[in-house]
Structures are given as C-alpha cells and as structure tokens.
Amino acid sequence: MELQLFCVQALCFVLFVSGVDVNVTKSSRPAIVNIGAFFTFNSTIGRVANVAIRAALDDINSDPNILRGAKLVVDMQDTQCNGFIGVVEAFQFMEADIVAVVGPQCSMIAHSIAHVANELQVPLLSFGATDPTLSTLQFPFFIRTTQSDIFQMQAVAEIVDYYQWRQVIAIFVDDEYGRNGVGALGDKLSQRRCKISYKAALPPSPNRTDVMDMLIKVALMESRIIVLHTNPTINIMVFSVAHYLEMMSTGFVWIVTDSLTALLDSRAPLNPQTMETMQGVLSLRPHTADSKKKSELVSRWSGLVKNQTGDNFHINSYGFYAYDSVWILARALDAFFNDGGIVSFSNDSRLRDIKKGTLNLEAMSVFNGGKLLLDKIRQTNLSGVIGSIQFDSSGYLIHPAYDIINVVGTGFRMVGYWSNYTGLSVVSPETLYSKPPNRSGANQQLHNVIWPGETITKPRGWVFPNNGKELRIGVPNRASYREFVSKVPNTDTIKGFCIDVFTAAISLLPYPVPFRFIPFGDGHQNPSYAELVNKILLNEFDGVVGDIAIVTNRTRIVDFTQPYVESGLVVVASVKQHHSNAWAFLRPFTLEMWCVTGLFFLFVGVVVWILEHRNNDEFRGPPRKQLGTIFWFSFSTLFFAHRENTVSTLGRAVLIIWLFVVLIIQSSYTASLTSMFTVQQLSSPIKGIDTLIASDEPIGFQVGSFAENYLIEELSIPKSRLRPLGTPAQYAAALKLGPNNGGVAAVVDEQPYVELFLSTQCEYRIIGSEFTKSGWGFAFPRDSPLAIDMSTAILSLSENGDLQKIHDKWLTRGVCNSQTDEIDANRLNLSSFWGLFLICGIACLIALLVYFVQMCRQYIRHSSGEEISSSSVGGSTRSGRSLHRFLSFVDDKEEDVKNRSRTRQLQISTRNGSETDS
C-alpha cells in the first residue's frame, strides 16, 4: 500500500511540475457534463448506491430548471474495494475529462485517489468513505457527503459511558477504515475515562478460522463490551462464530457500527438463522430526517430497483447519501456555470517526454475550473432527502446524528437517538434543534434495551478472565499489630481483621471470584506499603488487601475501594498526673481573669457607695469607715453575705446586675475546681503536632507506614529526627526513655494502631486530635470494575452491622481505652466572661451618669436661694469655691440638705414679712 501511494504521489508531482499546453473548450454551459462514479457494485452499499445515483441523474436531467440545457452523464466503475484497481480506474477517469467523481465508497481507495484529485483539481464527493482521518486540510478536493466516523465513535463512547461501562474490546478490519475508526473510538472513550482494553484486528478478507481464533481470544478477556467495526459480510461471519462460541448469551454486549444497519435496511428480513445469531445487538444508523422528498424516493424505490437490476432490495442510509451527492454536484455545477465557470482542461505536454513504459499519461488533464466548482460545493445549502444539507468550516455535514437500533426477533426496534447537539435522547434530533442544547446527565436517555440472552437487565460489562487464573492478592506479612493481618507461622494461612473484611465483602458479590493470598515481607519486619502497592502497577499482584492507607500518591497508580476503617495520623506521648499543692485553688482562673474580677469587685463597690452615700447611713461616717465599707461590701457580694442595705433605685439596679455576674463566676469556679480535684489530670510537654514540629526532639514512627514520608515531605521534619519503631513494645520503651535518654518525645502513627497500643498502655495518651484524615481500603488496578463492586459490598457490611462485628472480634479494647480525659483541664479565662463584665460595666457607667445629672439639678435648685457675694471675690476663687461647695453638697446627707433648704426658705419668708411691716 505504501509503495502504491508513493507511486501515485510521484506521478502527481510530475504532472504538477511539468509544463502544460492549454487547449480550452470555449462553451461555458456544454450540452454534456461528464462525471464519474466508482464504488463496489457487488456490495450492500454499492448495490443501493448504483440505483440511487441513476435515479438522481434521471431526476436532474428531466428537470430543465436544474442545469438549464446541460446534461449530466455518469461513467461508473467497479472498484471492488481494491486499492490497486481503484487507482487504475482513477487514472482512466482523468483521461475522460470528467469534472467530478461521486465516490469512492471505500476509505482505503479514498486515501489513494485523493492525492490524484488534489493535483488534477477534480472534486470527489464520497457518500461512503467514513474514515475520520480523511480531512479537508490534507485533501481539500475530498468532500465527504456522509457522516464521518468521528461522530459515530463519539456516539458509541457516549453509549458506553451512559451505561457506566469502562472497558471495551474493539474488533475491526485491519485497513484504513478499521484502524482509523477504532483510533477515533479510543480518543472519544478516553475523554470519558473509558478505554479499549483489547484491539482484535481481522485481515481485510478473513475466513471462518481467522474469526474463530480471534473470538476465542476475546472470550478469555475480562471485558464483555464488544464494539464491532467491520463490513456487513464480516459482521455476519463474526456473529455466526460468536453464536457458536456462546458469546451471544447473557452478560455480553455487542455494539456494531452502521454497516450492520445498512445490511438490515436493504435486505431485511434476513433469514431466521442469521437473525438468531445477532439477537440483542445494538447498532447505529446515520439519521435522516423525515421529509417529503425522502417519502417519494422510498415509495418509488421498488420500481427503480426492478427496472434497473431486476433484484429486490430496499434503500438504506447510504443510498440516501448517494442520491443527495448527485444533487449536491448538480446544484454546484449550476452555480458554477452561473458564475462564469467553463469546463476546460489543461493537457500536460511534458508527459510526452516520458519515453519509458506504455502508460498513456499524456492523456491525463487538469480541470481548470476545479477550485471554483469546489467552492460552490462547499457553499451548498439545499434540502435533500436526508434533510438540510450544508457543510461546516471543517467540511463535515451539519447536525451529525445517528439512530440507535436494537436487533430483536426478525427485525429491530428503535431505542433512541444520538446527535452532536444534545447527545443521547429518545426524542428525534429535529425536535431538539429548536431548543437550547442540554447535555446534562439527567437529559441523557434511552429506551430499555433487550440485551443478548433476552434480558432487559443491564449487563455488568465484565467478568473475570475465563482462563483459569486466580487473582493474585498481595497481603503484608506484618511483624507487629498482627491483629490486622498476619501469616500464621509454618502455614499458608492468612488471618486478621482486614482478611475477614475482605472475605466477607467478596462473599457478597453476585459472582465467584477465585483468588489466593500472597504474603509480602519476611515477617520479621513490617514491609514497605509503598512497594506493596507498586506491585500492582508492575502486574505482580492483581490486588492488595490489608491495612493499606488511602493516600494521594497511591491513588495516582491504583484504585481503592470504599474505606472500611477510618484512619488518620495522631501523636502519642507520655503523660504525668497532676498533684495538688497549696495553691491549687487558684488554678480554675487564669491570672488575667483573677485581676479583672478583683478590679470589678472594687469598681462595683465604689459605684454602689457613690449611689448610696447621700441617702444611706450605712455608707456614711468617717473616711476610714467608708473605705472599709467599700471593701467589705464589694467582696462580701461574692458570697451574697453583704449586710448593707441599698435604698436608692440606681444602687439596687447595679447590685442586681452585679449579683448575676457573681453568680455565674462563682458557679463556673466551683465546677472547674471540682473537676480538677475529682478527675485525674494528666499533662505532657507535647501539646500536639505543632509543638512537636517546633521542637527538635526525636519522633518515632511505625516501620512501613506512610507516616515517614508525610512527616518529611508534608511537615518538613528533618529525617534525622525520625526513629523507626517496629512493635508496640518498642513504642513503649522509646517513650519511656524519653528524648534525653535515647528514646523519643512522641510517636506519630495511624489511629487504629494507636488505639490498639493504648488499650494496654495506660501511661500514654493521644495528644491533640488527628491532623490527617484518611482511611484503609483494598487496592486494585486502575479502572478495575472489581473496586466498584467491592466498595458496594463494604457498604453493605457496614449497613448490616457485620463490619462492626468483625471489628469487635479482632480489636476488642482493653481497660485503658476508656481513658479519654484531656491532658490539661481547660482553665477559665477572661474571654469566657468578657460579655458579663461588659454588661456590668455599662450598667455602672449609666447609673453614675444618671446620678451626676440628678446631683447637678439638685445643686442648681438648692443653691439659687443662697446669697453669694461676688463683689469681693475673683472669678477663679469663685470657681474654686463653687466646685468645693458642689462636692460638699454631694457629700452632705440629702436629709440635711433639705432641712437647711427649708430653714433658709423660712428665714427669707420672715425677713420679707418684716420689711413689709416696716
């Protein structure tokens, strides 16, 4: 093939660089316009295309308004889907001065002659070459008048994703059509996190033995989703062999590209034996919109077939595309002539200089109007039997869409549509084009499918390979914490909590899973779990079961199940018991709290004294006595033992608020002090992971755990500070020695191990809380369906209580596990009470402000009757005396002030009476 393509390209290059003698035909709209058509006459698509092309020519030539006097004449050639014959016939066409070619049908031939078409500028209108690699960038004169397989493979990928399958097997013909189509399928699947797990290639002309050998290999594979991309003849052979091998039974899914529907549409009904071999198959068919033109062509199809061939077959989608291809060319030629186009060719005179050989190369010519005709074809906008016909900027027909067909009984049924506009739908694409595009998951719908085996239950899509192999399950051969997973000495038995969870989960699967455990490690030291998980990537294990933490770097290479144990890193350190001392009663409050509380006692005492001083005799007397009263009253309120009565309204209001504050403070103090003296108090110099990072003391970790990498890479702790520890006894010994005697300040490990360790070691405690969140799961290869099914089984174990029973069986806690006291009691600080102090302070200030306003009003009223000598006293002296008199007024008892006021009023009245008598 490569040699053939090289020869064609070399020939075209010679034609292009050689000198030419131009012989121009002057008629702008000739009486006859020659076009070519080549396809495989004796094929499912070719038989229909032959009738469709001739019918289109008759319709066009019988309508004088199409080409307006010109007549299309077609020269048909049978390529037999053979690359060499196709190239030879292409050369013959170029000798006949044709302006365009309807075809080719096969992608393989299209690749060959597209180079010739480019150089000789003859448009190719292919109704059957669906190879997605035939691009307009490389082959500008190649016009695809059917749908590209890039859209068909996108539809297949969306069907696979819709049913939540992840792996498919692709069976294809090993030529340009098959290879490139499957390549496009792989690209579309990868966009949805799916993949082709196995590619099964067939020779272009396989025999039954070839198909048998290939399907036997496919039957041994894990995936049961099979995408078949071959021609109709091979399809029938594949289904016949698959039915013989019982591969058309329950559990299998067959998705076939549009070659099967082309056969069913044109030859239905097939004989019952053939239909029996393909029951439950899904197939795609290029969607063609219902239209009047389509109905008319279908209604007269039987007569056309009878008149032209004498055979009996129906039209299929490719027949519609072939019919419309001729109409596209006719409309483009009409526009070409209207735009001044001339049918003229340039003969390459330099080919006459080639003396060697007998090829008539000098007869080949270049179509001078090829570029103009190509532009008119690209600008096509008409309504054909397939619906609206337009080309987008990439050369594809607009609105690519497919019908999704389910083969059932002696025929088939429609289960939905796929369109590039909205994806999968049970509504026709024409209805959806008038609405905004919606590709949401809820909008993707298909009708129920009857799958192979006559079931409507969606197949799981995979099974364990039917090759007698057991799953190789790697398990860590631990030296410590053997309750989780361990190998019984001198036997092949593996037991532990993780093993029981795995076997219980796998027993819930609806299918048998053969497996065997393979220990990893020597049993004298805990193995590296990173290396254990990496064995899956190296294909040494099919899964890993054990206390495997789900961490980021592991999820990049394997898939984990749902966690069956919650886990996370915690800090374990030695703790000491607090002993009471002579000043233990001060511990409930912080120093700041004690100071603020004492200041508020004094402040409230002063406020109450000010408010009560004028009216209450208990708050009067010599200064020494008043100072004592303030202190006594303030602190006696702590015990609600104050003897002084409050008589003023403001004083009582302040006292009520203050007593409420005192009640809260007293209750909190009592509760905290009681807790300190009744609950065992433990302390440690390590307060959590932050203080551990800030220190430079050594830290212990479990050998094989991910804690080492986490401490180094995530927390930036130098490796020199880390000490590997293997067993709980080593934990206890290192913690007991401490950092100054060759031990460690703390141990960082996962919580399940720590809880088991603390169940027998009462002198150690978890400091702080978990500083990572993770869990333990079972590891499987990427995209393994078993990971999903095992996750469902683990959830079932959790819901029915079996997971907790397994936990209690292996991880029953000892006497120390209930010790969950805090290392340090939470001392009461100012932040817990600042709201109360704020309320009390605001109340005191408001009371003082109201009291001051009242005093000012009383002072002004009672001083207006006094005689003030202002003539002999200076301003500053008057101001000083006024302040002194105001303070004296405030200090005086209110009753005395009122008595003096009454006496003064009486004297004034007596004096005024005497003056009146005089």
Side-chain angles (χ1 to χ4, degrees), residues 687-707:
K687 305 301 179 184
I689 187 62
D690 293 332
T691 58
L692 193 61
I693 295 173
S695 68
D696 58 355
E697 296 176 336
I699 304 170
F701 68 92
Q702 184 183 171
V703 175
S705 171
F706 78 96

Side-chain angles (χ1 to χ4, degrees), residues 51-95:
V51 178
I53 292 173
R54 295 183 186 279
L57 285 173
D58 291 342
D59 294 342
I60 292 168
N61 290 330
S62 63
D63 188 345
N65 296 322
I66 305 301
L67 292 178
R68 303 173 192 179
K71 181 181 179 181
L72 279 182
V73 176
V74 63
D75 182 8
M76 294 186 178
Q77 298 289 340
D78 185 5
T79 63
Q80 304 175 27
C81 266
N82 183 288
F84 175 74
I85 295 176
V87 171
V88 172
E89 290 176 351
F91 288 154
Q92 292 177 350
F93 273 148
M94 300 313 166
E95 295 176 2

Side-chain angles (χ1 to χ4, degrees), residues 69-381:
K71 181 181 179 181
L72 279 182
V73 176
V74 63
D75 182 8
M76 294 186 178
Q77 298 289 340
D78 185 5
T79 63
Q80 304 175 27
C81 266
N82 183 288
F84 175 74
I85 295 176
V87 171
V88 172
E89 290 176 351
F91 288 154
Q92 292 177 350
F93 273 148
M94 300 313 166
E95 295 176 2
D97 291 343
I98 62 172
V99 298
V101 174
V102 177
Q105 170 189 335
C106 299
S107 298
M108 174 180 59
I109 299 177
H111 273 280
S112 301
I113 67 172
H115 293 281
V116 179
N118 281 353
E119 300 302 330
L120 301 183
Q121 299 184 10
V122 176
L124 301 178
L125 285 78
S126 177
F127 58 86
T130 59
D131 179 1
T133 64
L134 288 165
S135 67
T136 57
L137 293 177
Q138 183 181 10
F139 306 115
F141 281 85
F142 175 82
I143 302 99
R144 196 195 315 269
T145 56
T146 185
Q147 300 294 350
S148 170
D149 274 342
I150 194 170
F151 301 112
Q152 181 168 212
M153 296 309 174
Q154 183 177 347
V156 172
E158 292 193 23
I159 292 173
V160 171
D161 185 55
Y162 173 78
Y163 289 109
Q164 298 179 348
W165 298 316
R166 287 294 171 261
Q167 297 183 19
V168 305
I169 294 174
I171 300 176
F172 61 98
V173 177
D174 195 13
D175 59 11
E176 287 84 349
Y177 164 74
R179 285 194 303 270
N180 296 332
V182 169
L185 175 62
D187 294 340
K188 297 301 180 181
L189 286 172
S190 64
Q191 294 174 5
R192 291 159 179 79
R193 291 201 64 186
C194 305
K195 68 176 183 179
I196 299 176
S197 60
Y198 180 69
K199 294 181 180 180
L202 289 170
S205 299
N207 54 39
R208 190 175 179 86
T209 301
D210 296 329
V211 175
M212 180 77 73
D213 294 341
M214 180 270 297
L215 287 182
I216 290 175
K217 293 180 182 178
V218 170
L220 297 177
M221 300 296 167
E222 180 180 274
S223 177
R224 285 294 181 262
I225 313 300
I226 302 173
V227 178
L228 183 60
H229 186 52
T230 60
N231 60 54
T233 303
I234 298 179
N235 286 344
I236 294 177
M237 187 185 302
V238 169
F239 286 130
S240 175
V241 177
H243 187 266
Y244 173 77
L245 296 175
E246 297 184 352
M247 294 177 66
M248 301 302 298
S249 58
T250 303
F252 284 88
V253 175
W254 289 82
I255 303 176
V256 189
T257 52
D258 57 11
S259 59
L260 178 61
T261 53
L263 174 64
L264 294 176
D265 285 337
S266 62
R267 288 295 185 180
L270 301 179
N271 64 74
Q273 293 78 11
T274 302
M275 293 300 298
E276 179 65 23
T277 64
M278 58 180 70
Q279 293 297 298
V281 169
L282 279 183
S283 184
L284 299 178
R285 175 174 62 195
H287 177 74
T288 55
D290 293 333
S291 64
K292 183 178 179 181
K293 292 183 178 180
K294 178 180 175 181
S295 300
E296 291 175 351
L297 180 60
V298 172
S299 64
R300 61 192 180 99
W301 181 261
S302 298
L304 294 173
V305 173
K306 186 175 181 180
N307 292 334
Q308 294 184 25
T309 66
D311 201 347
N312 182 22
F313 52 85
H314 308 290
I315 191 171
N316 55 31
S317 299
Y318 286 98
F320 293 134
Y321 285 120
Y323 181 86
D324 278 343
S325 297
V326 182
W327 273 93
I328 292 172
L329 179 57
R331 293 292 188 184
L333 282 170
D334 185 53
F336 170 80
F337 292 133
N338 291 337
D339 206 21
I342 298 175
V343 176
S344 62
F345 297 89
S346 300
N347 295 321
D348 193 344
S349 59
R350 288 174 295 180
L351 290 177
R352 301 191 188 102
D353 299 332
I354 301 177
K355 301 297 184 182
K356 297 180 180 180
T358 59
L359 292 176
N360 190 24
L361 298 179
E362 65 276 6
M364 300 181 65
S365 56
V366 178
F367 179 31
N368 296 326
K371 290 184 177 180
L372 179 59
L373 179 59
L374 177 65
D375 292 339
K376 298 304 179 182
I377 295 173
R378 295 291 185 197
Q379 296 169 10
T380 296
N381 184 1

Side-chain angles (χ1 to χ4, degrees), residues 858 862 893-903:
Q858 291 180 15
H862 289 288
K893 190 175 182 180
E894 186 174 1
E895 185 178 353
D896 294 342
V897 173
K898 290 180 179 180
N899 289 336
R900 286 200 306 271
S901 178
R902 284 195 296 270
T903 302

